[in-house]
Each structure stands twice: as C-alpha cells, then as structure tokens.
Amino acid sequence: MPRILAVDQEVDDAMRPEYDFSGGVWGKYYEAYQRSRNVVILDPDVAAVFPDSASVNEALRLLAKIAHAIKA
C-alpha cells in the first residue's frame, strides 16, 4: 500500500545495512502460495450474509453437492 505523505515530507527508502538478502531466493514460495490461496472479493450484500470464510466455504460446498446431485 503506498504511503501518503504531506507535501513537505521526504521518504527515506534506502536499505538499512542490517538487511541482508544475499542468501535469499526470489519467488521461492510463489507457486505454493498460488496453489493455496484464492482471494475473492464479495459484494457488500453477499458479505453481509457470509461474514467469514468458513460460512462461504460451507455454502459453496452445499451448492456443489446440490449441483452434483442434479447432474447424477
């Protein structure tokens, strides 16, 4: 998220000497993260009915079960 600054403020984006990323691996966990997380933005009216991920998952599993039963 970008920082919002007053017009007269200055940003010091310099890396500090104690930050050492020389042994880091770029994108090491990228693929695993992509497989494990899906971000979905709910419209406000839907979010009011499903306040957390557990309730959304429960509803979607039930819907999938119904859809599967109709196909069979």
Side-chain angles (χ1 to χ4, degrees):
M1 182 171 220
R3 288 187 260 181
I4 300 174
L5 304 171
V7 176
D8 61 344
Q9 279 185 306
E10 194 172 309
V11 177
D12 179 17
D13 282 337
M15 290 293 288
R16 295 182 179 166
E18 63 266 25
Y19 297 158
D20 179 14
F21 296 106
S22 62
V25 177
W26 187 263
K28 182 177 182 179
Y29 298 105
Y30 176 79
E31 286 184 33
Y33 181 78
Q34 292 300 314
R35 287 191 305 267
S36 67
R37 294 280 174 221
N38 291 315
V39 176
V40 177
I41 307 299
L42 302 177
D43 289 338
D45 60 321
V46 176
V49 178
F50 301 105
D52 56 27
S53 60
S55 61
V56 172
N57 287 328
E58 183 180 350
L60 290 175
R61 285 186 184 105
L62 180 59
L63 182 61
K65 191 179 219 182
I66 292 168
H68 187 291
I70 290 173
K71 280 185 179 181

